Amino acid sequence: MNDIKNIGILTGGGDTPATNAIIRAAYIKAVMHGYKISGIKNGWDGLITGNVFEMDRELVSGILDRGGTILGSARVNPFKIENGVEMVKENINKFSIDAIICIGEDDTNVVMHRLGQYGLKGVGIPQTIDNDINYNDYSIGFDTAVEIATDAIDKLHTTASSHHRIMILEVMGREAGWIALYSGIAGGADLILIPEVQFDYDYIVNVIEGRRERGRDYSIIVVAEGAKPDTRKMKLEVKPLIELGSHGVIGGIGNTIAKEIERRTGYETRVTVLGHLQRGGKPTAFDRILATRMGIKSIELINENKFDYMVCFEGNNISAEPMEKVLSQYKEMDLELYEIAKIFN
Ligand code: F6P
């Protein structure tokens, strides 16, 4: 056992379907062990402003299949706000929080890790549709986002062939191409463009023209919002810990590519930016199960007095790795899978 009595839960960064399933599982498991659970509203903002409340069983019932997060989310970083860390510490004392379950993408968890240096105990849960957290085959929300993007590709196929057009689907992922790669393979896209492999316009045009020669007068291209043209160099380097709050809005690459394709091939080209639809709605069964397992694991870590750890998912096993190890490196793209996808170009 340990001296933890009250556990705070927060959800930060971009929300995902199945976040509520994590909260539900962690709450139920925590209560089994006699912990009190405090809900922290809107990510780290709740600890800056003191927006904290005691959770009860009623709050987590009926939320397993509900998208979004009942705790609210925000991209707020106490290290970027004057006296932010002091305010967090004050509210930790005021609400007698002994440990935190931090649910979020890398930025939100970097804050957790850094607050550990001020004595705050916490464990992280990787939740992001971008699927870019190291030591995790799948982060929570990714599977649902892939389903949504795949469905969009299926729908684009029919209209692309009717109108003999090039259809570009721009998907999320920031600097990671996981959603593009997985949905592109699942949906049978003709080209998949990801940030990890810089693309070449000549190659895109060759694929489109090659299809035209085979009587295929339409094509589907899936592009990750962070994809970049030309040099075709790999970009797998050590990533500095990201500062939460540094997220600018990215996107628009689909339109740039569309103009170039029209200019070079004469094909009418249309762009669909899938946007926040990828983060909404009901989670898949896979995400619900993963979220449930991870929520349970977070309480087990607290029971074992293991803090500054991130819950991880590799090879269908739930494990845990030190936050520093998880957050200090890029999750490498599966380039073998990318090569498989190219077979269908
Ligand atoms: O949650 C990660 C992410 O979905 C990125 O893929 C995307 O670029 C970003 O969030 C959008 O964030 P926001 O909702 O803050 O505009």
Side-chain angles (χ1 to χ4, degrees):
M1 261 323 261
N2 55 36
D3 55 359
I4 307 292
K5 293 187 177 59
N6 181 13
I7 300 171
I9 304 188
L10 67 82
T11 57
D15 66 344
T16 72
T19 305
N20 285 328
I22 315 172
I23 298 170
R24 169 181 175 269
Y27 178 88
I28 291 170
K29 176 80 173 160
V31 167
M32 274 174 60
H33 291 276
Y35 296 118
K36 174 182 156 187
I37 297 288
S38 296
I40 299 164
K41 295 287 277 183
N42 306 324
W44 291 108
D45 188 63
L47 280 176
I48 293 170
T49 57
N51 199 349
V52 178
F53 65 100
E54 187 173 342
M55 288 176 64
D56 59 29
R57 184 70 176 80
E58 191 53 33
L59 198 73
V60 299
S61 75
I63 65 169
L64 177 62
D65 65 344
R66 210 196 303 162
T69 160
I70 57 165
L71 295 176
S73 189
R75 296 192 196 276
V76 171
N77 184 345
F79 289 96
K80 294 204 160 173
I81 291 172
E82 207 181 328
N83 298 325
V85 174
E86 288 311 310
M87 290 190 265
V88 167
K89 285 199 304 197
E90 268 171 35
N91 281 313
I92 290 286
N93 289 333
K94 180 173 163 194
F95 293 99
S96 306
I97 293 172
D98 303 309
I100 288 182
I101 296 174
C102 175
I103 302 169
E105 51 6 333
D106 44 6
D107 314 22
T108 298
N109 277 296
V110 166
V111 173
M112 182 73 258
H113 173 57
R114 287 186 65 187
L115 286 170
Q117 288 149 14
Y118 294 81
L120 190 54
K121 293 176 174 171
V123 297
I125 298 188
Q127 168 239 257
T128 167
I129 63 164
D130 296 348
N131 201 33
D132 57 352
I133 300 187
N134 227 343
Y135 299 98
N136 279 281
D137 295 341
Y138 279 67
S139 56
I140 290 158
F142 171 62
D143 185 66
T144 305
V146 169
E147 267 314 307
I148 293 167
T150 303
D151 182 52
I153 298 168
D154 289 346
K155 287 172 176 153
L156 287 174
H157 260 288
T158 55
T159 176
S161 67
S162 308
H163 286 268
H164 323 291
R165 283 173 170 162
I166 309 300
M167 289 291 187
I168 299 179
L169 179 70
E170 183 179 307
V171 297
M172 282 187 170
R174 297 204 83 81
E175 297 305 318
W178 294 98
I179 299 175
L181 181 58
Y182 272 56
S183 65
I185 294 173
D190 304 301
L191 274 161
I192 300 170
L193 309 177
I194 59 175
E196 292 85 350
V197 182
Q198 295 177 338
F199 65 83
D200 176 17
Y201 280 113
D202 292 341
Y203 182 75
I204 294 174
V205 170
N206 278 343
V207 171
I208 292 170
E209 294 299 359
R211 283 175 56 76
R212 176 145 51 190
E213 277 160 30
R214 296 197 306 277
R216 296 270 183 244
D217 57 359
Y218 68 93
S219 294
I220 305 282
I221 301 176
V222 181
V223 58
E225 61 185 357
K228 289 169 199 70
D230 277 332
T231 60
R232 286 187 146 252
K233 267 193 309 173
M234 306 307 306
K235 196 167 136 274
L236 299 174
E237 51 204 48
V238 173
K239 181 181 71 161
L241 297 186
I242 299 169
E243 291 285 333
L244 184 63
S246 60
H247 262 207
V249 176
I250 57 173
I253 186 68
N255 281 312
T256 310
I257 296 169
K259 282 195 194 104
E260 194 60 15
I261 289 174
E262 282 195 339
R263 193 180 70 77
R264 293 202 192 190
T265 67
Y267 268 115
E268 260 191 336
T269 305
R270 296 286 187 268
V271 180
T272 303
V273 179
L274 202 49
H276 291 80
L277 288 176
Q278 291 158 98
R279 292 213 317 235
K282 281 181 182 285
T284 58
F286 178 90
D287 262 334
R288 296 181 204 190
I289 293 166
L290 181 61
T292 301
R293 293 176 74 190
M294 286 194 167
I296 300 290
K297 181 69 178 182
S298 66
I299 299 298
E300 287 171 0
L301 289 173
I302 291 173
N303 279 344
E304 291 162 20
N305 253 325
K306 279 177 105 171
F307 297 107
D308 203 20
Y309 273 81
M310 180 85 96
V311 176
C312 292
F313 176 66
E314 286 184 294
N316 206 26
N317 294 313
I318 302 286
S319 58
E321 296 288 348
M323 285 258 203
E324 176 76 31
K325 187 172 159 190
V326 175
L327 296 169
S328 59
Q329 275 183 331
Y330 260 124
K331 174 177 170 179
E332 287 196 14
M333 175 46 65
D334 184 345
L335 294 174
E336 265 179 48
L337 192 59
Y338 183 70
E339 288 304 316
I340 288 174
K342 280 172 74 177
I343 293 171
F344 302 97
N345 287 350

